[in-house]
Amino acid sequence: MRIERITLRRISLPLVTPFRTSLGTEHERPALLVQVTTADAEGWGECVAGADASYSSEYLEGAEDVMRRHLVPPLLAADPVTAHAVAPLLAGVRGHRMAKAALEMAVLDAELRTRGTSFAAGLGALADRVPSGVSVGIMDSVPELVDAVADYLAQGYLRIKLKIEPGWDVEPVRAVRERFGEELLLQVDANTAYTLADARRLARLDAFDLLLLEQPLDEDDLRGHAALARRIRTPICLDESVVSARSAADAIALGACQIVNIKPGRVGGYLEARRIHDVCAASGIPVWCGGMLETGLGRAGNVALAALPNFTLPGDVSASDRFYATDITEPFVLQDGHLAVPTGPGLGVEPLPGVLAGVTTSVHEVSRRDHDA
Ligand code: NPG
């Protein structure tokens, strides 16, 4: 496959409700889409970097900059290109996993569309639907939170994840557990908001039979997570700390986690995400698919990934309307608490041209010819 053109498109989608985590509050989701054009197909990628560098060191402007200067040129110069060749071709650039992931995703999509193979089949997934969980932000009051959870459960979501931070942890978790009972699949996500000095407070969450406590400590604090794991009963799940199959293997070996959240965007792409899935499966560590407020494009890829066999916990793969009144693709809809795995070639979904045009804020195109010149 030869890439004729790479188009970088910035969009911004308004959120249906503000989303507050321990890192801040988001009112809209800016995203960077990558479109790879070959003689036979268009492939789409989505970069999950945020507007600021609060979740990771990567941020959207930086991701676009590194793509334009350092990542797009080697892809346009390579002939042929395959999805598996993207990471080696870009290995001369350190880090920037979110930028690399978006480019690899677009190449993989183009390749699979050319072959007439779906993302799920390409990744080796068999399930035709995946259970859907929902992530519930920090709210102004506990009653407001309980109402929001009730509404998501009425819609059919099969698992609730509560965002927590110091001052918003034991009480909201207790209220939700008491209101909805022991049967509710419930977990919490701290986005690195605690330190090991909070171990006693975090141990109070043990009373609520949570599925897991996600990323309580700093992303580079694997030993701290291992120490915390010895002091609480709730299983620890890592998100921010796991950026590659190697870091997953290290975290597991150190006893820093009993569960792993896999986000393709965070780990450099769907191919590395699958390697993490395999490493975890071999170690008896269950995984689930995280979410980063993806549009229908990233959501399609995530649903396909989540159909792999070791994704045994419901993921943050919610319906499109959890975040967006109008998605840029045909929306993903909850069916009996599940999302259907797309079966069409590649991602199986495409941006709706009218919607895409309406949310686009900038377009930058580089073709092989410009590059050769
Ligand atoms: O369902 O897409 C979703 C959102 C799930 O809570 C969620 N994501 O920390 O995992 C997280 C959080 C997040 C969102 C992180 C956006 C970074 C960016």
Side-chain angles (χ1 to χ4, degrees):
M1 198 170 80
R2 197 169 99 132
I3 300 175
E4 298 301 335
R5 189 164 64 245
I6 296 183
T7 308
L8 306 180
R9 179 187 295 266
R10 297 274 290 276
I11 64 169
S12 187
L13 285 176
L15 297 178
V16 288
T17 53
F19 187 54
R20 179 172 159 204
T21 72
S22 65
L23 305 169
T25 305
E26 295 190 54
H27 298 269
E28 53 172 20
R29 178 60 167 159
L32 171 56
L33 304 183
V34 175
Q35 189 179 1
V36 159
T37 306
T38 72
D40 303 308
E42 301 277 352
W44 290 91
E46 176 171 348
C47 181
V48 297
D52 60 34
S54 61
Y55 171 84
S56 112
S57 62
E58 289 189 79
Y59 62 100
L60 219 61
E61 300 276 350
E64 182 167 1
D65 188 73
V66 76
M67 283 186 197
R68 285 164 72 157
R69 287 177 203 273
H70 300 295
L71 301 178
V72 164
L75 289 184
L76 284 176
D79 183 14
V81 178
T82 63
H84 281 90
V86 171
L89 276 169
L90 304 182
V93 177
R94 303 256 170 219
H96 296 286
R97 291 183 168 88
M98 291 178 177
K100 291 175 178 175
L103 290 164
E104 185 195 83
M105 175 180 170
V107 174
L108 181 58
D109 186 34
E111 188 176 320
L112 293 172
R113 284 184 202 264
T114 306
R115 286 185 3 217
T117 303
S118 72
F119 241 64
L123 292 170
L126 291 174
D128 59 4
R129 61 178 200 160
V130 300
S132 185
V134 63
S135 173
V136 187
I138 294 168
M139 309 237 159
D140 290 336
S141 71
V142 170
E144 198 183 327
L145 174 73
V146 171
D147 285 349
V149 171
D151 187 42
Y152 288 127
L153 292 175
Q155 291 176 44
Y157 284 106
L158 297 174
R159 183 227 68 192
I160 298 291
K161 157 167 143 179
L162 302 182
K163 291 292 190 176
I164 60 167
E165 65 183 5
W168 181 267
D169 42 34
V170 176
E171 293 322 314
V173 169
R174 183 200 311 282
V176 168
R177 180 56 90 203
E178 281 178 359
R179 169 74 173 71
F180 301 102
E182 289 305 311
E183 296 295 296
L184 174 67
L185 298 182
L186 183 63
Q187 64 192 54
V188 294
D189 181 7
N191 287 114
T192 75
Y194 295 85
T195 71
L196 200 49
D198 298 310
R200 292 224 338 241
R201 176 147 194 102
L202 292 171
R204 291 177 59 197
L205 294 172
D206 286 344
F208 306 111
D209 275 321
L210 300 176
L211 288 169
L212 58 93
L213 162 60
E214 185 178 353
Q215 198 71 43
L217 312 180
D218 265 355
E219 64 180 40
D220 58 0
D221 193 5
L222 288 185
R223 289 213 308 181
H225 282 101
L228 182 62
R230 292 191 290 271
R231 292 169 64 177
I232 66 175
R233 274 207 330 272
T234 307
I236 290 181
C237 170
L238 291 177
D239 172 10
E240 285 91 327
S241 297
V242 175
V243 296
S244 62
R246 181 180 290 139
S247 65
D250 288 350
I252 294 166
L254 274 169
C257 65
Q258 290 116 293
I259 297 170
V260 169
N261 165 335
I262 302 182
K263 288 177 179 163
R266 186 191 71 227
V267 304
Y270 285 90
L271 300 179
E272 187 71 5
R274 186 178 55 185
R275 285 190 278 273
I276 297 175
H277 163 274
D278 295 347
V279 163
C280 291
S283 310
I285 298 285
V287 303
W288 55 281
C289 184
M292 298 189 68
L293 283 64
E294 285 85 351
T295 72
L297 294 171
R299 207 161 289 276
N302 289 356
V303 169
L305 180 75
L308 285 167
N310 193 39
F311 281 83
T312 51
L313 292 164
D316 286 341
V317 279
S318 310
S320 297
D321 69 2
R322 157 67 183 91
F323 294 110
Y324 306 117
T326 309
D327 204 335
I328 61 167
T329 63
E330 285 299 324
F332 280 84
V333 184
L334 215 52
Q335 291 164 336
D336 202 16
H338 292 70
L339 296 188
V341 179
T343 53
L347 291 169
V349 299
E350 262 144 275
L352 304 164
V355 181
L356 187 62
V359 298
T360 296
T361 55
S362 73
V363 179
H364 178 80
E365 219 178 82
V366 193
S367 66
R368 170 177 287 271
R369 240 172 309 113
D370 306 334
H371 180 262
D372 288 346

